Amino acid sequence: MLSRRAVLFRHLSLSKSSPRTFNTTIATRRPFSTTELPNGIKLAYDLHEPPTTDWDPSRTSHNAPPPIVFLHGLFGSKKNNRSMSKVFARDLQRPVYALDLRNHGDSSHHPQHDYTALAEDVEHFLRAHELQAPILIGHSMGAKTVMTVALRQRVALGALIPVDNAPVDAALKSDFGQYVRGMRQIQDAQVQKQSDADIILQAYESALPIRQFLLANLYRDTHDGVQKWRIPLKYLANALDKMGDFPFRDPEEARYEGPTLVVRGTKSHYVADEMLPIIGRFFPSFQAVDIEAGHWVVSEKPEEFRKAVVEFLQDKD
């Protein structure tokens, strides 16, 4: 029988949160950069910095708030988190690193794509940039990646925010397999217009926002004019089963005691009520917040997501 501490969590209510005011000055974003890791992978990232007009000269490297590292989900990229990263840099007055994980965006391609490999990349990145006690935020695939980093305990973290995924083995929705089939059909058709690619994809996904999300991975080859995928479909198709797995099984052997905010969409099945006890065993200090959204919590309800994260982290400063 689970102990009371193992299953205890505090459920946050957004509707009862006290209003806060934030500086509206825009954060700055440097042109994207890449970091070559010791394992040969090159990770691309955007760095969003707090507005210079809000810089506090009394803050030193010893008392400045820890940086945020923001990870996207499967078929996503750092661009998906660009707007929210700017907001966090502004509202929380700290740098935000939005990463492209391997096989996504502008980062390296590699046939190995599982949570151990993804976590190792993130750990190398944190060491390379000497990020002290960073806050890791990850959505979907990114959520399982940040949970894996925390449980491996190879780097010190300040807090953890997994978004709409749980530390369990659970098959991906069949939608992802359909997306791959549609993307392969687009690849074989060698279309030259993104609108033609969208027509093909409509047979596999009816929702325009999701199609736009997937089609953001296309680029036009300047040599032949063909729309081509920036992501390696072969590698990611082979990794779909692994994306449903989780590398840890026993909470008695691996546990992260630091502050953790689990954000879940009420219309999504990825963090069901019956998963909360196992989350509590792996992450005994976790809190949960429900947002009325599907799996794409950040894009569906950005203000609710912003509010939950900002209030959680401000309580930790």
Side-chain angles (χ1 to χ4, degrees), residues 18-34:
S18 59
R20 296 176 185 264
T21 58
F22 302 101
N23 192 302
T24 57
T25 309
I26 302 301
T28 59
R29 179 178 66 89
R30 296 183 184 180
F32 91 83
S33 304
T34 58

Side-chain angles (χ1 to χ4, degrees), residues 114-129:
D114 55 42
Y115 288 114
T116 298
L118 293 171
E120 288 177 347
D121 290 347
V122 174
E123 292 162 2
H124 285 313
F125 183 89
L126 299 181
R127 295 189 193 102
H129 289 265

Side-chain angles (χ1 to χ4, degrees), residues 95-113:
V96 179
Y97 295 79
L99 271 58
D100 279 338
L101 294 171
R102 65 167 61 192
N103 295 320
H104 290 78
D106 298 299
S107 289
S108 296
H109 297 175
H110 194 280
Q112 183 180 2
H113 194 90

Side-chain angles (χ1 to χ4, degrees), residues 14-63:
L14 292 179
S15 61
K16 297 180 181 179
S17 299
S18 59
R20 296 176 185 264
T21 58
F22 302 101
N23 192 302
T24 57
T25 309
I26 302 301
T28 59
R29 179 178 66 89
R30 296 183 184 180
F32 91 83
S33 304
T34 58
T35 295
E36 184 166 3
L37 309 178
N39 58 8
I41 295 291
K42 292 181 180 179
L43 285 192
Y45 67 97
D46 282 339
L47 174 57
H48 303 267
E49 298 178 304
T52 55
T53 55
D54 291 341
W55 180 69
D56 182 354
S58 67
R59 281 186 167 179
T60 67
S61 60
H62 298 291
N63 62 14

Side-chain angles (χ1 to χ4, degrees), residues 38-244:
N39 58 8
I41 295 291
K42 292 181 180 179
L43 285 192
Y45 67 97
D46 282 339
L47 174 57
H48 303 267
E49 298 178 304
T52 55
T53 55
D54 291 341
W55 180 69
D56 182 354
S58 67
R59 281 186 167 179
T60 67
S61 60
H62 298 291
N63 62 14
I68 291 173
V69 177
F70 206 161
L71 308 183
H72 58 81
L74 185 62
F75 301 137
S77 74
K78 60 184 179 298
K79 293 180 180 179
N80 303 138
N81 297 323
R82 182 168 291 171
S83 296
M84 193 59 62
S85 295
K86 292 178 182 178
V87 170
F88 287 154
R90 179 198 70 194
D91 291 354
L92 291 165
Q93 282 298 287
R94 66 189 75 199
V96 179
Y97 295 79
L99 271 58
D100 279 338
L101 294 171
R102 65 167 61 192
N103 295 320
H104 290 78
D106 298 299
S107 289
S108 296
H109 297 175
H110 194 280
Q112 183 180 2
H113 194 90
D114 55 42
Y115 288 114
T116 298
L118 293 171
E120 288 177 347
D121 290 347
V122 174
E123 292 162 2
H124 285 313
F125 183 89
L126 299 181
R127 295 189 193 102
H129 289 265
E130 299 182 344
L131 301 185
Q132 302 299 313
I135 313 299
L136 298 190
I137 304 177
H139 171 252
S140 193
M141 177 183 73
K144 280 192 171 180
T145 299
V146 301
M147 288 187 284
T148 301
V149 171
L151 294 175
R152 280 165 55 87
Q153 299 182 12
R154 308 292 177 88
V155 291
L157 303 179
L160 196 68
I161 305 179
V163 183
D164 214 55
N165 219 334
V168 297
D169 288 347
L172 290 181
K173 289 173 59 179
S174 60
D175 295 354
F176 287 97
Q178 294 180 38
Y179 299 158
V180 170
R181 289 193 290 274
M183 294 161 85
R184 280 177 165 165
Q185 186 175 341
I186 291 169
Q187 181 174 268
D188 293 342
Q190 295 192 322
V191 299
Q192 297 198 351
K193 297 179 180 179
Q194 196 167 111
S195 58
D196 292 334
D198 183 58
I199 291 172
I200 293 174
L201 200 56
Q202 287 177 28
Y204 300 89
E205 174 54 58
S206 60
L208 177 60
I210 296 179
R211 295 202 308 273
Q212 291 174 330
F213 165 76
L214 296 171
L215 294 172
N217 288 294
L218 283 173
Y219 73 96
R220 187 174 182 274
D221 191 306
T222 56
H223 293 95
D224 57 15
V226 172
Q227 296 284 337
K228 296 181 180 179
W229 295 107
R230 188 173 284 107
I231 55 177
L233 290 181
K234 180 179 179 180
Y235 295 163
L236 294 178
N238 291 339
L240 287 183
D241 289 342
K242 297 174 183 176
M243 293 296 93

